[in-house]
Amino acid sequence: MLKFEPSHALKRLPEQFFAKLVKTTQALIKEGHDVINLGQGNPDLPTPDFIVEALQEASTNPKFHKYSPFQGYPFLKEAVADFYQREYQVDIDPNKEVAIMFGSKTGLVEISQCLLNPKEKVLVPDPGYPDYMSGIALTDAIPIHMPLKEENQFLPNYQQISDEDLADAKLMFLNYPNNPTAATATKNFFDDTIEVAKQNQICVVHDFAYGAIGFEEDKPQSFLQSEGAKEVGIEMYTLSKTFNMAGWRVAFAVGNPSVIEAIELIQDHYYVSIFGAIQSAAKTALDEGKSAIAELNHTYQQRRDAFLQQAEKIGWHGGTANGSFFVWMPTPKGYNSESFANLLLEKAHVVVAPGNGFGASGEGYVRIGLLDEPDRLREACDRIGKLSLF
Ligand SMILES: Cc1ncc(COP(=O)(O)O)c(C=O)c1O
């Protein structure tokens, strides 16, 4: 048997930090333990019925059994523009300012290939969603980490980035509500970001995966709500979290037409667009999903409150949970992210994600996914409380 060497690009890909965690969790479950898994980001609830029914109906339409138009159906792009107008009062041209994508993970990886050349610099949040780094590695670009610190409400501090790095950077990833810190961004922060981006000619990619899930403010801020945003960037939005559609793989990018054009160009070469019936059901979700979004927020708010109240009771303080379906909790004295996560796994059978897996600045924290019922979240806290760490 010949063994073929993977390309240099593949060899540059970062190790999948969480693969080990998934394996250990599976092993414990297989041994028959009652594991409370709060370690991953996979929504536990089903897609609302009205969307599933829309897919069932659309799947019988022979039109959708053919190849879809390469860049997606215009009806979905129009639904995206209507959604942004209704939800955020943002004008989007469905012909030039929307790209349909196979989930936002794909978009977030391919955007680096779209805009970066080898050895060019890109600003990335630390801690941050690991897949930004995958696209950067495939492109052989240079990541410049922007630490997200508690004292800055987990927003990057542009004053602390060197003038040289700002001048060199071509791309910047941002993500609010944030995975993993559960922080949200203000309009002021996005306004400042646009200034920095204009001055330095940086393309901003705002990952709005958790756009539908916010607690402290009325509603999470879209980057495109800030004046001038479209001049300097795009926002990526996924249906995975908003409508519990992670398995369906539907997302879109909206904003700067030149970036949208680049995404569509690369996708013309990689794929034919998503199954038409899924695009049709995605339109139904966007058009008719208002009450489903409100219900989703209510569900996560109840879970968040249940977790935080019980955490307080066991003396575990200092969590952040303003948006997304995560809580970002500090580790107790004497433990780092990994040793604490391992302890919880072994002694409490509770799975949490160690913060350092999202970047060096995530050290000292763990990420809790609010992906189980309130009773189970309380039980997780009680099990942790029995370890007498706080
Ligand atoms: C911050 C963030 N961005 C993007 C994604 C990707 O979502 P999808 O590929 O399902 O659209 C995730 C998924 O966990 C995420 O947490």
Side-chain angles (χ1 to χ4, degrees), residues 65-94:
H65 300 169
K66 303 179 174 175
Y67 287 122
S68 302
F70 270 44
Q71 298 179 352
Y73 277 99
F75 66 71
L76 181 52
K77 293 186 168 186
E78 277 154 27
V80 166
D82 290 347
F83 180 78
Y84 258 69
Q85 182 52 248
R86 219 171 34 245
E87 292 290 317
Y88 304 110
Q89 297 74 54
V90 170
D91 289 329
I92 299 285
D93 177 347

Coordinates of all heavy atoms in Angstrom, one line a residue, residues 65-94:
H65 N -34.7 19.0 -7.3 CA -33.9 17.8 -7.5 C -32.7 18.0 -8.4 O -31.8 17.1 -8.5 CB -34.8 16.6 -7.9 CG -35.9 16.3 -6.9 ND1 -37.0 15.5 -7.2 CD2 -36.1 16.8 -5.7 CE1 -37.8 15.5 -6.1 NE2 -37.2 16.3 -5.2
K66 N -32.8 19.1 -9.1 CA -31.7 19.4 -10.1 C -30.6 20.2 -9.3 O -30.8 20.5 -8.2 CB -32.2 20.3 -11.2 CG -33.4 19.6 -11.9 CD -33.9 20.6 -13.0 CE -34.9 19.8 -13.8 NZ -35.5 20.7 -14.8
Y67 N -29.5 20.4 -10.0 CA -28.5 21.3 -9.5 C -29.1 22.6 -9.1 O -29.9 23.2 -9.9 CB -27.4 21.6 -10.5 CG -26.4 20.5 -10.7 CD1 -26.2 19.9 -12.0 CD2 -25.7 19.9 -9.7 CE1 -25.4 18.9 -12.2 CE2 -24.8 18.9 -9.9 CZ -24.6 18.4 -11.2 OH -23.8 17.3 -11.4
S68 N -28.8 23.2 -7.9 CA -29.3 24.5 -7.6 C -28.4 25.5 -8.4 O -27.3 25.2 -8.8 CB -29.0 24.8 -6.1 OG -29.7 23.8 -5.3
P69 N -28.9 26.8 -8.5 CA -28.0 27.8 -9.1 C -26.7 27.9 -8.2 O -26.8 27.8 -7.0 CB -28.8 29.1 -9.0 CG -30.2 28.7 -8.7 CD -30.2 27.3 -8.1
F70 N -25.6 28.0 -8.9 CA -24.3 28.0 -8.2 C -24.3 28.9 -7.0 O -23.7 28.6 -5.9 CB -23.2 28.3 -9.1 CG -22.6 27.1 -9.8 CD1 -23.4 26.2 -10.4 CD2 -21.2 27.0 -9.9 CE1 -22.9 25.0 -11.0 CE2 -20.7 25.8 -10.6 CZ -21.5 24.9 -11.1
Q71 N -24.9 30.1 -7.1 CA -24.7 31.1 -6.0 C -26.0 31.1 -5.2 O -26.2 32.1 -4.4 CB -24.4 32.4 -6.6 CG -23.0 32.3 -7.3 CD -22.6 33.6 -8.0 OE1 -23.3 34.6 -8.1 NE2 -21.3 33.6 -8.5
G72 N -26.8 30.1 -5.2 CA -28.0 30.0 -4.4 C -29.2 30.6 -5.1 O -29.1 31.4 -6.1
Y73 N -30.4 30.3 -4.6 CA -31.6 30.8 -5.2 C -31.8 32.3 -4.8 O -31.7 32.6 -3.6 CB -32.8 30.0 -4.7 CG -33.0 28.7 -5.5 CD1 -32.6 27.5 -5.0 CD2 -33.6 28.7 -6.7 CE1 -32.7 26.3 -5.7 CE2 -33.8 27.6 -7.5 CZ -33.3 26.4 -7.0 OH -33.5 25.2 -7.7
P74 N -32.3 33.1 -5.8 CA -32.6 34.5 -5.4 C -33.6 34.6 -4.3 O -33.5 35.6 -3.5 CB -33.1 35.1 -6.8 CG -32.4 34.2 -7.8 CD -32.3 32.8 -7.2
F75 N -34.6 33.7 -4.2 CA -35.6 33.8 -3.2 C -35.0 33.8 -1.8 O -35.5 34.5 -0.9 CB -36.7 32.8 -3.3 CG -36.3 31.4 -3.1 CD1 -36.0 30.9 -1.9 CD2 -36.3 30.5 -4.2 CE1 -35.7 29.5 -1.7 CE2 -36.0 29.1 -4.0 CZ -35.6 28.7 -2.7
L76 N -33.9 33.1 -1.6 CA -33.3 33.0 -0.3 C -32.5 34.3 0.0 O -32.6 34.8 1.1 CB -32.4 31.8 -0.2 CG -31.7 31.6 1.2 CD1 -32.7 31.7 2.4 CD2 -30.9 30.3 1.3
K77 N -31.9 34.8 -1.1 CA -31.1 36.1 -0.9 C -32.1 37.2 -0.5 O -31.8 38.1 0.3 CB -30.3 36.4 -2.1 CG -29.2 35.4 -2.4 CD -28.3 35.8 -3.5 CE -27.1 35.0 -3.6 NZ -26.1 35.4 -4.6
E78 N -33.3 37.2 -1.2 CA -34.3 38.2 -0.9 C -34.8 38.1 0.6 O -35.0 39.0 1.3 CB -35.4 38.1 -1.8 CG -35.1 38.9 -3.1 CD -35.9 38.4 -4.3 OE1 -37.0 37.8 -4.2 OE2 -35.3 38.5 -5.5
A79 N -35.0 36.8 1.0 CA -35.4 36.6 2.4 C -34.4 37.1 3.4 O -34.7 37.6 4.4 CB -35.7 35.1 2.6
V80 N -33.1 36.9 3.0 CA -32.0 37.4 3.9 C -32.1 38.9 4.0 O -32.0 39.5 5.1 CB -30.6 37.0 3.3 CG1 -29.5 37.7 4.0 CG2 -30.4 35.4 3.5
A81 N -32.3 39.6 2.9 CA -32.3 41.0 2.9 C -33.5 41.5 3.7 O -33.4 42.4 4.5 CB -32.4 41.6 1.5
D82 N -34.7 40.8 3.5 CA -35.9 41.2 4.3 C -35.6 41.0 5.8 O -36.0 41.8 6.7 CB -37.1 40.3 3.9 CG -37.6 40.7 2.5 OD1 -37.2 41.7 2.0 OD2 -38.4 39.9 2.0
F83 N -35.0 39.9 6.2 CA -34.7 39.5 7.6 C -33.8 40.6 8.2 O -34.0 41.1 9.3 CB -33.9 38.2 7.6 CG -33.5 37.7 9.0 CD1 -34.5 37.1 9.8 CD2 -32.2 37.8 9.4 CE1 -34.1 36.6 11.1 CE2 -31.9 37.3 10.6 CZ -32.8 36.7 11.5
Y84 N -32.8 41.1 7.4 CA -31.9 42.1 8.0 C -32.6 43.4 8.1 O -32.4 44.2 9.1 CB -30.6 42.2 7.2 CG -29.4 41.5 7.9 CD1 -29.4 40.2 8.0 CD2 -28.4 42.3 8.5 CE1 -28.4 39.5 8.7 CE2 -27.4 41.6 9.2 CZ -27.4 40.3 9.3 OH -26.4 39.6 10.0
Q85 N -33.5 43.7 7.2 CA -34.3 45.0 7.3 C -35.2 44.9 8.5 O -35.2 45.8 9.4 CB -35.1 45.1 6.0 CG -35.9 46.4 6.0 CD -35.1 47.6 6.3 OE1 -35.3 48.3 7.3 NE2 -34.1 48.0 5.4
R86 N -35.9 43.8 8.7 CA -36.8 43.6 9.8 C -36.1 43.5 11.1 O -36.5 44.2 12.1 CB -37.6 42.3 9.6 CG -39.1 42.3 9.9 CD -39.8 41.1 9.5 NE -39.1 39.9 9.5 CZ -38.8 39.1 8.4 NH1 -39.1 39.5 7.2 NH2 -38.1 38.0 8.6
E87 N -35.1 42.8 11.2 CA -34.4 42.5 12.5 C -33.5 43.7 12.9 O -33.3 44.0 14.1 CB -33.6 41.2 12.5 CG -34.5 40.0 12.4 CD -35.3 39.7 13.7 OE1 -34.7 39.8 14.8 OE2 -36.4 39.3 13.6
Y88 N -32.8 44.3 11.9 CA -31.7 45.2 12.3 C -31.8 46.6 11.6 O -31.0 47.4 11.7 CB -30.4 44.6 11.9 CG -30.2 43.2 12.6 CD1 -30.2 42.0 11.9 CD2 -30.0 43.2 14.0 CE1 -30.1 40.8 12.6 CE2 -29.9 42.0 14.7 CZ -29.9 40.8 13.9 OH -29.8 39.6 14.6
Q89 N -32.9 46.7 10.8 CA -33.1 48.0 10.0 C -31.9 48.3 9.1 O -31.4 49.4 9.0 CB -33.4 49.2 11.0 CG -34.7 49.0 11.7 CD -34.6 48.0 12.9 OE1 -33.7 48.1 13.7 NE2 -35.5 47.0 12.9
V90 N -31.3 47.3 8.5 CA -30.2 47.4 7.7 C -30.6 47.1 6.2 O -31.3 46.1 6.0 CB -29.0 46.4 8.1 CG1 -27.9 46.4 7.1 CG2 -28.5 46.8 9.5
D91 N -30.2 48.0 5.3 CA -30.5 47.8 3.9 C -29.5 46.9 3.3 O -28.3 47.2 3.3 CB -30.5 49.1 3.1 CG -31.7 50.0 3.5 OD1 -32.7 49.4 3.8 OD2 -31.5 51.2 3.5
I92 N -29.9 45.8 2.6 CA -29.0 44.9 2.0 C -29.6 44.7 0.5 O -30.7 44.5 0.3 CB -29.1 43.5 2.7 CG1 -28.6 43.6 4.1 CG2 -28.3 42.4 1.9 CD1 -27.1 43.7 4.3
D93 N -28.6 44.8 -0.4 CA -29.0 44.5 -1.8 C -28.9 43.0 -2.0 O -27.8 42.5 -2.0 CB -28.1 45.3 -2.8 CG -28.4 45.0 -4.2 OD1 -29.1 44.0 -4.5 OD2 -27.8 45.7 -5.1
P94 N -30.0 42.3 -2.3 CA -29.9 40.8 -2.4 C -29.1 40.4 -3.5 O -28.6 39.2 -3.5 CB -31.4 40.4 -2.5 CG -32.2 41.6 -2.9 CD -31.4 42.8 -2.4

